[in-house]
Amino acid sequence: MKKLKHLYLILTLVIIGVTSAYAQERDDRATILNFKGIQYKSSDSLFYVNFRFRMQNRLGYKEELNGIDDGKFDARIRRLRMRMDGYIYTPKISYSVQLAFTRSDQDYDDSKIPNIVRDAVMFYNFTDDFYISFGQNKLPGNRQRVNSSGQLQFADRSLVNENFTLDRDFGVSLNLSKKIGNVPINAKAAISTGEGRAASSTDAGLAYTGRVEFLPLGDFTNDNDYQEGDLEREETPKLSIGGGYSYNDRTKREAGQLGRFVQNPFTFKIAFADAIFKYAGFAYQAEYMRRDVDNPFNMTDEDDPQETVAYKGWGVNQQVSYLLNHGYEIAGRYTYVEPHKDIQAFERQTEVMEVGLTKYMKAHRLKFQLNGSYTFKDGNFNNHNDKSAWGAMFQVELGI
């Protein structure tokens, strides 16, 4: 932790120094401050960077309705991130760096390592519609994961995403956007290490991931398909249908790129499909995910090994919303997760019903979110069920 504090101090001093240097060079550079970040471009246009930050502060409460356990409060900074994007020498060579500064955002509890670096990736843009990436970045997985956590209409992603998602990984990816007639198509493929952000070495097993999207009604306004809710109030109906597959060969973690390290490698096969529709402030999205693994049982690779079970099964998430006047949005979400019969002694069928109210002050850059949820098991909508629970969450997001 001492080294971590030193790193924070050094990073802060670097940022202050860079900012001071920019302030002294007003004559030979252009700097813009707005809700798209602090932008700097050198006078010779050979260097460009965009600084951004965001934070999510929250207060939540959850209580199981068994009359035994006391309720639990969740009051913390969920995310605090700094991001830098830009190019060097030519717009064809670009980069993205994203750092995280809260424990819950660093994968610390599972890896016991403060993983500050979330993204550190370089891009080479061959054309406007084809580029290659190299470094650590999000894999082309399910839509809700690929969506930024700052573009969500609920405080957290769904239980389907939590149980089955892919995550960031180190590797190389190919990204292509084309049109067949008037139908835009986006295709992405990646080969990565399979162990996620916390990996200190690479074994022989790799992860292979691909995703394809079809937009039969044309492009969304301002990439509106990659933010939740119809904040653009699409003037004509828009639809995106996506799907993909990931094969993670011999990963050392209990959830692929996430989770605790295990003694015997897992091989995961993950399929996913999703769709999003938007029109005139109305938005609907659905997501299906399935994970298969031959033997879901393992032992953690720790000083005190414990039995662990990889989640094997499937789930569906659906959410619907409508943007009212003055930036208010109402939303509802229903999530269903079904464990495979191999692990039903350890995991139970789970359903979650949620409602949300959001006030957008500056789109997703400044918003206030209030969510309520009810969780029940095995299809038993009974307040006295031993695993039923209700919860509430208030969250404020601020960023540039």
Side-chain angles (χ1 to χ4, degrees), residues 107-137:
D107 200 15
Y108 180 85
D109 292 339
D110 289 331
S111 66
K112 309 306 178 186
I113 301 170
N115 298 287
I116 300 171
V117 179
R118 295 191 68 82
D119 297 314
V121 58
M122 300 172 58
F123 306 94
Y124 187 83
N125 302 277
F126 290 91
T127 63
D128 291 340
D129 53 19
F130 176 64
Y131 68 90
I132 186 171
S133 75
F134 177 67
Q136 181 173 290
N137 200 12

mmCIF file of all heavy atoms in Angstrom, residues 107-137:
data_model
loop_
_atom_site.group_PDB
_atom_site.id
_atom_site.type_symbol
_atom_site.label_atom_id
_atom_site.label_comp_id
_atom_site.label_asym_id
_atom_site.label_seq_id
_atom_site.Cartn_x
_atom_site.Cartn_y
_atom_site.Cartn_z
ATOM 1 N N ASP A 107 -10.011 -4.581 -9.057
ATOM 2 C CA ASP A 107 -9.932 -6.041 -9.018
ATOM 3 C C ASP A 107 -9.066 -6.518 -7.852
ATOM 4 O O ASP A 107 -8.460 -7.595 -7.897
ATOM 5 C CB ASP A 107 -9.371 -6.563 -10.352
ATOM 6 C CG ASP A 107 -9.688 -8.019 -10.600
ATOM 7 O OD1 ASP A 107 -10.558 -8.554 -9.903
ATOM 8 O OD2 ASP A 107 -9.051 -8.626 -11.487
ATOM 9 N N TYR A 108 -9.016 -5.707 -6.782
ATOM 10 C CA TYR A 108 -8.082 -5.986 -5.686
ATOM 11 C C TYR A 108 -8.527 -7.183 -4.848
ATOM 12 O O TYR A 108 -7.698 -8.017 -4.448
ATOM 13 C CB TYR A 108 -7.940 -4.755 -4.796
ATOM 14 C CG TYR A 108 -6.991 -4.955 -3.623
ATOM 15 C CD1 TYR A 108 -5.616 -4.770 -3.791
ATOM 16 C CD2 TYR A 108 -7.454 -5.363 -2.378
ATOM 17 C CE1 TYR A 108 -4.738 -4.967 -2.746
ATOM 18 C CE2 TYR A 108 -6.574 -5.570 -1.322
ATOM 19 C CZ TYR A 108 -5.227 -5.372 -1.503
ATOM 20 O OH TYR A 108 -4.364 -5.583 -0.460
ATOM 21 N N ASP A 109 -9.809 -7.291 -4.545
ATOM 22 C CA ASP A 109 -10.287 -8.343 -3.644
ATOM 23 C C ASP A 109 -10.018 -9.741 -4.189
ATOM 24 O O ASP A 109 -9.810 -10.687 -3.425
ATOM 25 C CB ASP A 109 -11.787 -8.165 -3.385
ATOM 26 C CG ASP A 109 -12.072 -6.918 -2.565
ATOM 27 O OD1 ASP A 109 -11.152 -6.429 -1.883
ATOM 28 O OD2 ASP A 109 -13.219 -6.423 -2.617
ATOM 29 N N ASP A 110 -10.020 -9.884 -5.524
ATOM 30 C CA ASP A 110 -9.771 -11.193 -6.119
ATOM 31 C C ASP A 110 -8.289 -11.452 -6.361
ATOM 32 O O ASP A 110 -7.790 -12.555 -6.120
ATOM 33 C CB ASP A 110 -10.522 -11.319 -7.450
ATOM 34 C CG ASP A 110 -12.026 -11.439 -7.242
ATOM 35 O OD1 ASP A 110 -12.446 -11.964 -6.189
ATOM 36 O OD2 ASP A 110 -12.776 -11.000 -8.124
ATOM 37 N N SER A 111 -7.583 -10.446 -6.849
ATOM 38 C CA SER A 111 -6.188 -10.662 -7.247
ATOM 39 C C SER A 111 -5.180 -10.294 -6.163
ATOM 40 O O SER A 111 -4.009 -10.656 -6.265
ATOM 41 C CB SER A 111 -5.885 -9.843 -8.504
ATOM 42 O OG SER A 111 -5.960 -8.456 -8.217
ATOM 43 N N LYS A 112 -5.626 -9.529 -5.139
ATOM 44 C CA LYS A 112 -4.740 -9.029 -4.074
ATOM 45 C C LYS A 112 -3.674 -8.086 -4.617
ATOM 46 O O LYS A 112 -2.636 -7.857 -3.978
ATOM 47 C CB LYS A 112 -4.073 -10.196 -3.325
ATOM 48 C CG LYS A 112 -5.049 -11.261 -2.832
ATOM 49 C CD LYS A 112 -6.169 -10.672 -1.990
ATOM 50 C CE LYS A 112 -7.156 -11.747 -1.547
ATOM 51 N NZ LYS A 112 -8.335 -11.175 -0.840
ATOM 52 N N ILE A 113 -3.927 -7.546 -5.794
ATOM 53 C CA ILE A 113 -3.017 -6.600 -6.428
ATOM 54 C C ILE A 113 -3.817 -5.359 -6.811
ATOM 55 O O ILE A 113 -4.891 -5.491 -7.405
ATOM 56 C CB ILE A 113 -2.374 -7.201 -7.697
ATOM 57 C CG1 ILE A 113 -1.592 -8.470 -7.358
ATOM 58 C CG2 ILE A 113 -1.469 -6.185 -8.386
ATOM 59 C CD1 ILE A 113 -1.133 -9.244 -8.573
ATOM 60 N N PRO A 114 -3.347 -4.147 -6.491
ATOM 61 C CA PRO A 114 -4.063 -2.929 -6.909
ATOM 62 C C PRO A 114 -3.844 -2.665 -8.398
ATOM 63 O O PRO A 114 -2.846 -2.057 -8.790
ATOM 64 C CB PRO A 114 -3.447 -1.839 -6.035
ATOM 65 C CG PRO A 114 -2.075 -2.345 -5.711
ATOM 66 C CD PRO A 114 -2.179 -3.841 -5.636
ATOM 67 N N ASN A 115 -4.768 -3.138 -9.216
ATOM 68 C CA ASN A 115 -4.639 -3.000 -10.664
ATOM 69 C C ASN A 115 -5.142 -1.626 -11.099
ATOM 70 O O ASN A 115 -6.302 -1.456 -11.476
ATOM 71 C CB ASN A 115 -5.441 -4.106 -11.360
ATOM 72 C CG ASN A 115 -4.924 -5.485 -11.018
ATOM 73 O OD1 ASN A 115 -3.864 -5.883 -11.486
ATOM 74 N ND2 ASN A 115 -5.646 -6.208 -10.181
ATOM 75 N N ILE A 116 -4.262 -0.653 -11.055
ATOM 76 C CA ILE A 116 -4.622 0.729 -11.377
ATOM 77 C C ILE A 116 -4.924 0.883 -12.864
ATOM 78 O O ILE A 116 -5.839 1.600 -13.257
ATOM 79 C CB ILE A 116 -3.489 1.682 -10.962
ATOM 80 C CG1 ILE A 116 -3.241 1.587 -9.460
ATOM 81 C CG2 ILE A 116 -3.810 3.121 -11.347
ATOM 82 C CD1 ILE A 116 -2.010 2.329 -9.004
ATOM 83 N N VAL A 117 -4.169 0.203 -13.703
ATOM 84 C CA VAL A 117 -4.316 0.368 -15.150
ATOM 85 C C VAL A 117 -5.507 -0.449 -15.648
ATOM 86 O O VAL A 117 -5.528 -1.676 -15.545
ATOM 87 C CB VAL A 117 -3.042 -0.080 -15.886
ATOM 88 C CG1 VAL A 117 -3.229 0.066 -17.400
ATOM 89 C CG2 VAL A 117 -1.848 0.734 -15.415
ATOM 90 N N ARG A 118 -6.505 0.248 -16.199
ATOM 91 C CA ARG A 118 -7.630 -0.427 -16.834
ATOM 92 C C ARG A 118 -7.399 -0.558 -18.338
ATOM 93 O O ARG A 118 -7.601 -1.621 -18.912
ATOM 94 C CB ARG A 118 -8.935 0.321 -16.555
ATOM 95 C CG ARG A 118 -9.325 0.327 -15.087
ATOM 96 C CD ARG A 118 -10.734 0.843 -14.881
ATOM 97 N NE ARG A 118 -11.739 -0.064 -15.405
ATOM 98 C CZ ARG A 118 -12.196 -1.129 -14.766
ATOM 99 N NH1 ARG A 118 -11.717 -1.448 -13.562
ATOM 100 N NH2 ARG A 118 -13.113 -1.900 -15.307
ATOM 101 N N ASP A 119 -7.003 0.533 -18.970
ATOM 102 C CA ASP A 119 -6.724 0.504 -20.404
ATOM 103 C C ASP A 119 -5.338 1.066 -20.670
ATOM 104 O O ASP A 119 -4.943 2.081 -20.081
ATOM 105 C CB ASP A 119 -7.745 1.347 -21.180
ATOM 106 C CG ASP A 119 -9.154 0.817 -21.060
ATOM 107 O OD1 ASP A 119 -9.345 -0.397 -21.205
ATOM 108 O OD2 ASP A 119 -10.074 1.622 -20.810
ATOM 109 N N ALA A 120 -4.619 0.421 -21.544
ATOM 110 C CA ALA A 120 -3.342 0.923 -22.058
ATOM 111 C C ALA A 120 -3.187 0.290 -23.432
ATOM 112 O O ALA A 120 -2.618 -0.787 -23.586
ATOM 113 C CB ALA A 120 -2.178 0.561 -21.140
ATOM 114 N N VAL A 121 -3.723 0.968 -24.436
ATOM 115 C CA VAL A 121 -3.857 0.343 -25.752
ATOM 116 C C VAL A 121 -3.488 1.342 -26.848
ATOM 117 O O VAL A 121 -3.732 2.544 -26.730
ATOM 118 C CB VAL A 121 -5.303 -0.182 -25.958
ATOM 119 C CG1 VAL A 121 -6.319 0.935 -25.830
ATOM 120 C CG2 VAL A 121 -5.460 -0.912 -27.270
ATOM 121 N N MET A 122 -2.878 0.822 -27.905
ATOM 122 C CA MET A 122 -2.521 1.614 -29.084
ATOM 123 C C MET A 122 -3.360 1.146 -30.262
ATOM 124 O O MET A 122 -3.711 -0.033 -30.368
ATOM 125 C CB MET A 122 -1.036 1.441 -29.408
ATOM 126 C CG MET A 122 -0.096 1.877 -28.308
ATOM 127 S SD MET A 122 1.609 1.422 -28.670
ATOM 128 C CE MET A 122 1.861 2.260 -30.231
ATOM 129 N N PHE A 123 -3.671 2.090 -31.158
ATOM 130 C CA PHE A 123 -4.462 1.782 -32.343
ATOM 131 C C PHE A 123 -3.714 2.241 -33.594
ATOM 132 O O PHE A 123 -3.067 3.296 -33.584
ATOM 133 C CB PHE A 123 -5.815 2.501 -32.311
ATOM 134 C CG PHE A 123 -6.618 2.262 -31.064
ATOM 135 C CD1 PHE A 123 -6.546 3.155 -29.997
ATOM 136 C CD2 PHE A 123 -7.437 1.153 -30.947
ATOM 137 C CE1 PHE A 123 -7.277 2.952 -28.855
ATOM 138 C CE2 PHE A 123 -8.177 0.939 -29.799
ATOM 139 C CZ PHE A 123 -8.102 1.838 -28.742
ATOM 140 N N TYR A 124 -3.832 1.448 -34.646
ATOM 141 C CA TYR A 124 -3.367 1.908 -35.953
ATOM 142 C C TYR A 124 -4.566 1.894 -36.887
ATOM 143 O O TYR A 124 -5.178 0.855 -37.133
ATOM 144 C CB TYR A 124 -2.252 1.033 -36.519
ATOM 145 C CG TYR A 124 -1.675 1.629 -37.785
ATOM 146 C CD1 TYR A 124 -0.696 2.612 -37.718
ATOM 147 C CD2 TYR A 124 -2.147 1.252 -39.035
ATOM 148 C CE1 TYR A 124 -0.186 3.206 -38.861
ATOM 149 C CE2 TYR A 124 -1.649 1.828 -40.189
ATOM 150 C CZ TYR A 124 -0.669 2.807 -40.091
ATOM 151 O OH TYR A 124 -0.177 3.401 -41.238
ATOM 152 N N ASN A 125 -4.901 3.086 -37.384
ATOM 153 C CA ASN A 125 -6.071 3.254 -38.232
ATOM 154 C C ASN A 125 -5.652 3.175 -39.705
ATOM 155 O O ASN A 125 -5.128 4.143 -40.265
ATOM 156 C CB ASN A 125 -6.732 4.603 -37.936
ATOM 157 C CG ASN A 125 -7.135 4.731 -36.476
ATOM 158 O OD1 ASN A 125 -8.183 4.269 -36.065
ATOM 159 N ND2 ASN A 125 -6.269 5.366 -35.681
ATOM 160 N N PHE A 126 -5.898 2.029 -40.325
ATOM 161 C CA PHE A 126 -5.548 1.872 -41.735
ATOM 162 C C PHE A 126 -6.438 2.757 -42.605
ATOM 163 O O PHE A 126 -5.964 3.416 -43.528
ATOM 164 C CB PHE A 126 -5.697 0.406 -42.153
ATOM 165 C CG PHE A 126 -4.667 -0.499 -41.547
ATOM 166 C CD1 PHE A 126 -4.909 -1.146 -40.343
ATOM 167 C CD2 PHE A 126 -3.453 -0.708 -42.174
ATOM 168 C CE1 PHE A 126 -3.971 -1.986 -39.773
ATOM 169 C CE2 PHE A 126 -2.496 -1.550 -41.623
ATOM 170 C CZ PHE A 126 -2.756 -2.178 -40.413
ATOM 171 N N THR A 127 -7.737 2.739 -42.313
ATOM 172 C CA THR A 127 -8.715 3.578 -43.007
ATOM 173 C C THR A 127 -9.722 4.063 -41.969
ATOM 174 O O THR A 127 -9.632 3.728 -40.783
ATOM 175 C CB THR A 127 -9.451 2.781 -44.108
ATOM 176 O OG1 THR A 127 -10.200 1.715 -43.496
ATOM 177 C CG2 THR A 127 -8.463 2.190 -45.114
ATOM 178 N N ASP A 128 -10.703 4.831 -42.413
ATOM 179 C CA ASP A 128 -11.727 5.317 -41.499
ATOM 180 C C ASP A 128 -12.583 4.194 -40.939
ATOM 181 O O ASP A 128 -13.211 4.353 -39.888
ATOM 182 C CB ASP A 128 -12.635 6.341 -42.203
ATOM 183 C CG ASP A 128 -11.908 7.637 -42.500
ATOM 184 O OD1 ASP A 128 -10.875 7.900 -41.853
ATOM 185 O OD2 ASP A 128 -12.380 8.383 -43.395
ATOM 186 N N ASP A 129 -12.610 3.063 -41.637
ATOM 187 C CA ASP A 129 -13.498 1.976 -41.193
ATOM 188 C C ASP A 129 -12.749 0.691 -40.827
ATOM 189 O O ASP A 129 -13.371 -0.356 -40.635
ATOM 190 C CB ASP A 129 -14.552 1.666 -42.257
ATOM 191 C CG ASP A 129 -13.948 1.400 -43.628
ATOM 192 O OD1 ASP A 129 -12.744 1.108 -43.709
ATOM 193 O OD2 ASP A 129 -14.686 1.495 -44.624
ATOM 194 N N PHE A 130 -11.421 0.761 -40.716
ATOM 195 C CA PHE A 130 -10.676 -0.432 -40.310
ATOM 196 C C PHE A 130 -9.462 -0.033 -39.475
ATOM 197 O O PHE A 130 -8.664 0.811 -39.893
ATOM 198 C CB PHE A 130 -10.201 -1.224 -41.531
ATOM 199 C CG PHE A 130 -9.340 -2.410 -41.171
ATOM 200 C CD1 PHE A 130 -9.850 -3.468 -40.432
ATOM 201 C CD2 PHE A 130 -8.007 -2.462 -41.560
ATOM 202 C CE1 PHE A 130 -9.055 -4.556 -40.087
ATOM 203 C CE2 PHE A 130 -7.212 -3.541 -41.222
ATOM 204 C CZ PHE A 130 -7.747 -4.592 -40.479
ATOM 205 N N TYR A 131 -9.363 -0.626 -38.282
ATOM 206 C CA TYR A 131 -8.204 -0.359 -37.432
ATOM 207 C C TYR A 131 -7.840 -1.602 -36.632
ATOM 208 O O TYR A 131 -8.653 -2.524 -36.466
ATOM 209 C CB TYR A 131 -8.462 0.826 -36.494
ATOM 210 C CG TYR A 131 -9.507 0.596 -35.426
ATOM 211 C CD1 TYR A 131 -9.164 0.086 -34.174
ATOM 212 C CD2 TYR A 131 -10.849 0.912 -35.652
ATOM 213 C CE1 TYR A 131 -10.112 -0.112 -33.186
ATOM 214 C CE2 TYR A 131 -11.804 0.722 -34.669
ATOM 215 C CZ TYR A 131 -11.433 0.211 -33.442
ATOM 216 O OH TYR A 131 -12.385 0.007 -32.467
ATOM 217 N N ILE A 132 -6.609 -1.618 -36.149
ATOM 218 C CA ILE A 132 -6.099 -2.714 -35.331
ATOM 219 C C ILE A 132 -5.657 -2.135 -33.993
ATOM 220 O O ILE A 132 -5.180 -0.995 -33.922
ATOM 221 C CB ILE A 132 -4.928 -3.431 -36.043
ATOM 222 C CG1 ILE A 132 -4.490 -4.670 -35.257
ATOM 223 C CG2 ILE A 132 -3.758 -2.487 -36.276
ATOM 224 C CD1 ILE A 132 -3.488 -5.527 -36.006
ATOM 225 N N SER A 133 -5.848 -2.904 -32.925
ATOM 226 C CA SER A 133 -5.424 -2.438 -31.602
ATOM 227 C C SER A 133 -4.434 -3.426 -30.999
ATOM 228 O O SER A 133 -4.467 -4.625 -31.302
ATOM 229 C CB SER A 133 -6.634 -2.279 -30.672
ATOM 230 O OG SER A 133 -7.108 -3.541 -30.238
ATOM 231 N N PHE A 134 -3.561 -2.907 -30.124
ATOM 232 C CA PHE A 134 -2.592 -3.743 -29.428
ATOM 233 C C PHE A 134 -2.411 -3.187 -28.025
ATOM 234 O O PHE A 134 -2.073 -2.020 -27.842
ATOM 235 C CB PHE A 134 -1.245 -3.740 -30.162
ATOM 236 C CG PHE A 134 -0.174 -4.522 -29.458
ATOM 237 C CD1 PHE A 134 -0.257 -5.898 -29.337
ATOM 238 C CD2 PHE A 134 0.914 -3.876 -28.893
ATOM 239 C CE1 PHE A 134 0.725 -6.624 -28.676
ATOM 240 C CE2 PHE A 134 1.911 -4.589 -28.234
ATOM 241 C CZ PHE A 134 1.811 -5.971 -28.125
ATOM 242 N N GLY A 135 -2.673 -4.041 -27.023
ATOM 243 C CA GLY A 135 -2.540 -3.619 -25.639
ATOM 244 C C GLY A 135 -3.667 -4.164 -24.788
ATOM 245 O O GLY A 135 -4.303 -5.169 -25.129
ATOM 246 N N GLN A 136 -3.918 -3.503 -23.677
ATOM 247 C CA GLN A 136 -4.953 -3.933 -22.737
ATOM 248 C C GLN A 136 -6.190 -3.073 -22.929
ATOM 249 O O GLN A 136 -6.129 -1.850 -22.820
ATOM 250 C CB GLN A 136 -4.451 -3.812 -21.298
ATOM 251 C CG GLN A 136 -5.466 -4.259 -20.248
ATOM 252 C CD GLN A 136 -4.867 -4.282 -18.865
ATOM 253 O OE1 GLN A 136 -4.022 -5.128 -18.556
ATOM 254 N NE2 GLN A 136 -5.291 -3.352 -18.024
ATOM 255 N N ASN A 137 -7.299 -3.742 -23.183
ATOM 256 C CA ASN A 137 -8.534 -3.032 -23.468
ATOM 257 C C ASN A 137 -9.709 -3.993 -23.287
ATOM 258 O O ASN A 137 -9.506 -5.188 -23.053
ATOM 259 C CB ASN A 137 -8.506 -2.487 -24.907
ATOM 260 C CG ASN A 137 -9.480 -1.369 -25.138
ATOM 261 O OD1 ASN A 137 -10.038 -0.813 -24.196
ATOM 262 N ND2 ASN A 137 -9.721 -1.036 -26.405
#
